Amino acid sequence: MESECGCARLAMAGVLLSLIPLTSPLSAFNECDFPAIFNCGDSNSDTGGLSAVFGQAPPPNGETYFHAPAGRYCDGRLLIDFIAERLGLAHLGAYLDAVGSNFSHGANFATAGSTVRPPNTTRSQSGASPISLDVHFVQFSDFRSRSQILRRRGGIFQELLPKENYFSRALYTFDIGQNDITYGYKFNMSTEQVKEYIPDVLAQFSTVVRDVYALGGRSFWIHNTGPQGCLPYVLDRFLVTAAQLDEYGCGSPFNDAAQYFNRRLKEAVIQLRKDLPLAAITYVDVYSLKYTLISQAAKFGFEEPCGNDGGKYNFNNAMRCGNKKKIVNGTEILIAKSCQNPSLRVNWDGIHLTEAANKWVFDHIVDGSFSHPPIPLKMACHRLDN
Ligand SMILES: *[C@@H]1O[C@H](CO)[C@@H](O)[C@H](O)[C@H]1NC(C)=O
Ligand SMILES: *[C@@H]1O[C@H](CO)[C@@H](O)[C@H](O)[C@H]1NC(C)=O
Ligand SMILES: *[C@@H]1O[C@H](CO)[C@@H](O)[C@H](O)[C@H]1NC(C)=O
Ligand SMILES: *[C@@H]1O[C@H](CO)[C@@H](O)[C@H](O)[C@H]1NC(C)=O
């Protein structure tokens, strides 16, 4: 009897252990208390960088949450905004925004169109931002040293710039790579040719993570790249045959390239964990969430997965949100449908997700269930070796 009970208890303990091996180490950890965020990325996390340099994102961008354009290519908030809010921090100002920025809790180096590798073309030739990831790092490095020189002057500088110890305690977030993939397609490369240069893209990405670590960065939160083959603008711009569309109307070659990028990114992150012993590096699979949302939009309460206004791929480049479409009695009328009820749409302008879609993705990544290792956002300073 006794021994049977003991066995049952042991068996029970075995079941419990096998069910919770991933969450139990976390119970020993405290929440991280990140005092700042430094972000690198493209339009998926640009909060005003490109706007500061090349002109403001036009209305109706920003209408849902900010009630005016706010440097974002979205009707409202981006993942990085939800991340800041959840960490109890104000939204991040763009490093390039010289007017009115408060960097006491971090800075955003992202610009729409940013690539990891420096582009060999101008913005008007390819749409690639000249402010690529290597530039983000130079800006960060400069910001790190000069902010401390200025802080010593006291007064307002103390209020607008981060304390020195924030740089090691901050969360460093990355959401970049999408434009490196489309870059090749814009030069008529095949998917195979695009895949050939992806290792070079990731080598340059890893270099920047190492360089941030060398300057004291310890906590990294890295989003993988989304299913760009589901973006109406990609389908509209690049030649796609019917055979290349999957059952949800997404272009398989582009998603294939994105998934290849993500596999290599995950490998790069695993290598970085080995090389940087004091770093906590979390890889976050936003691809799966975005693909799930786009392919099963109705199930999650969204009306239309993609697109703005008919056409072969439900995309009309002339009707992107913000394009002035028609003048009626001297008033500009915007008629792209996606701009009319963004809370029910996944895609805002054929390229970027709506605030509602971003919120949905955020709600699924915040608890760590799409992270590798499965660390929640607020625990992302902890290294979980597995
Ligand atoms: C700057 O931001 C910090 C943190 O959000 C806030 O406490 C401070 O009052 C702000 N300072 C100014 C001058 O806006
Ligand atoms: C730009 O050109 C250089 C020299 O040909 C090449 O090594 C590099 O990969 C190119 N960059 C991109 C983004 O294509
Ligand atoms: C790509 O191919 C199209 C169609 O053949 C051609 O018009 C365009 O000039 C090519 N672009 C580049 C950068 O080679
Ligand atoms: C334009 O203005 C005229 C004169 O006020 C009016 O009759 C007409 O209905 C207006 N058209 C539209 C589309 O609002």
Side-chain angles (χ1 to χ4, degrees):
M1 285 287 272
E2 287 255 339
S3 72
E4 264 183 298
C5 272
C7 285
R9 235 180 258 127
L10 272 179
M12 191 63 136
V15 167
L16 283 177
L17 279 177
S18 66
L19 281 177
I20 53 166
L22 297 174
T23 48
S24 52
L26 283 174
S27 57
F29 293 144
N30 295 322
E31 289 189 354
C32 299
D33 191 23
F34 295 114
I37 302 170
F38 296 100
N39 179 67
C40 295
D42 52 32
S43 57
N44 291 306
S45 61
D46 183 357
T47 56
L50 196 80
S51 289
V53 183
F54 291 102
Q56 295 296 319
N61 284 302
E63 64 176 10
T64 301
Y65 183 80
F66 303 99
H67 308 298
R72 291 151 178 85
Y73 296 88
C74 179
D75 59 305
R77 289 166 289 179
L78 309 175
L79 286 178
I80 189 66
D81 295 314
F82 291 116
I83 288 174
E85 288 176 17
R86 188 58 61 97
L87 296 181
L89 301 170
H91 293 152
L92 291 188
Y95 170 77
L96 290 165
D97 197 352
V99 183
S101 289
N102 182 342
F103 297 121
S104 59
H105 55 280
N108 191 355
F109 303 94
T111 71
S114 283
T115 47
V116 172
R117 300 196 301 175
N120 288 333
T121 48
T122 64
R123 187 166 167 268
S124 61
Q125 285 168 319
S126 69
S129 163
I131 300 140
S132 43
L133 184 62
D134 55 313
V135 182
H136 299 173
F137 176 74
V138 173
Q139 293 174 329
F140 166 70
S141 172
D142 203 46
F143 176 76
R144 189 183 182 290
S145 51
R146 293 191 58 239
S147 61
Q148 299 314 301
I149 295 168
L150 282 160
R151 265 193 128 249
R152 275 175 230 129
R153 291 193 195 162
I156 189 73
F157 296 111
Q158 297 244 356
E159 231 182 281
L160 296 177
L161 295 167
K163 291 181 183 154
E164 183 157 29
N165 71 32
Y166 283 15
F167 289 95
S168 56
R169 295 168 54 209
L171 183 64
Y172 290 83
T173 53
F174 292 82
D175 192 327
I176 195 161
Q178 174 168 332
N179 297 311
D180 289 275
I181 298 173
T182 46
Y183 191 86
Y185 287 111
K186 284 177 183 165
F187 293 94
N188 294 337
M189 287 187 185
S190 66
T191 296
E192 283 316 306
Q193 287 172 311
V194 168
K195 283 182 179 175
E196 266 168 39
Y197 68 70
I198 284 176
D200 183 39
V201 173
L202 290 167
Q204 297 195 29
F205 176 82
S206 293
T207 297
V208 169
V209 174
R210 287 176 214 280
D211 290 347
V212 170
Y213 181 85
L215 291 184
R218 291 295 177 262
S219 304
F220 298 86
W221 180 265
I222 299 173
H223 293 173
N224 69 4
T225 198
Q228 49 191 291
C230 301
L231 299 180
Y233 114 96
V234 166
L235 294 169
D236 180 69
R237 161 138 196 183
F238 305 116
L239 220 51
V240 193
T241 64
Q244 291 174 326
L245 295 177
D246 71 12
E247 58 187 305
Y248 303 112
C250 298
S252 300
F254 310 106
N255 283 350
D256 184 29
Q259 285 176 301
Y260 178 78
F261 177 95
N262 289 340
R263 279 196 299 278
R264 302 299 295 245
L265 174 64
K266 197 169 177 181
E267 286 168 18
V269 163
I270 289 167
Q271 185 61 45
L272 286 165
R273 282 192 203 119
K274 288 184 185 144
D275 298 345
L276 311 176
L278 301 178
I281 312 179
T282 308
Y283 168 95
V284 187
D285 181 17
V286 296
Y287 180 102
S288 297
L289 287 164
K290 289 181 179 177
Y291 189 78
T292 299
L293 184 57
I294 289 166
S295 57
Q296 300 171 58
K299 184 172 154 188
F300 301 111
F302 289 83
E303 267 178 6
E304 187 87 29
C306 298
N308 56 4
D309 236 319
K312 195 166 166 202
Y313 301 110
N314 196 21
F315 178 70
N316 182 341
N317 199 37
M319 284 197 199
R320 276 155 68 166
C321 291
N323 282 5
K324 299 173 181 106
K325 183 55 193 162
K326 209 155 90 173
I327 295 185
V328 178
N329 282 355
T331 308
E332 284 163 351
I333 310 272
L334 295 157
I335 57 172
K337 282 187 206 140
S338 59
C339 317
Q340 284 166 15
N341 207 345
S343 67
L344 295 176
R345 299 286 174 142
V346 174
N347 201 290
W348 167 241
D349 56 3
I351 305 175
H352 307 102
L353 301 194
T354 57
E355 171 176 290
N358 286 329
K359 176 72 166 58
W360 188 90
V361 172
F362 175 76
D363 286 344
H364 287 83
I365 62 174
V366 67
D367 68 354
S369 46
F370 284 79
S371 299
H372 178 274
I375 297 212
L377 177 68
K378 285 189 168 180
M379 301 275 193
C381 61
H382 298 297
R383 189 179 164 110
L384 192 64
D385 286 301
N386 58 354

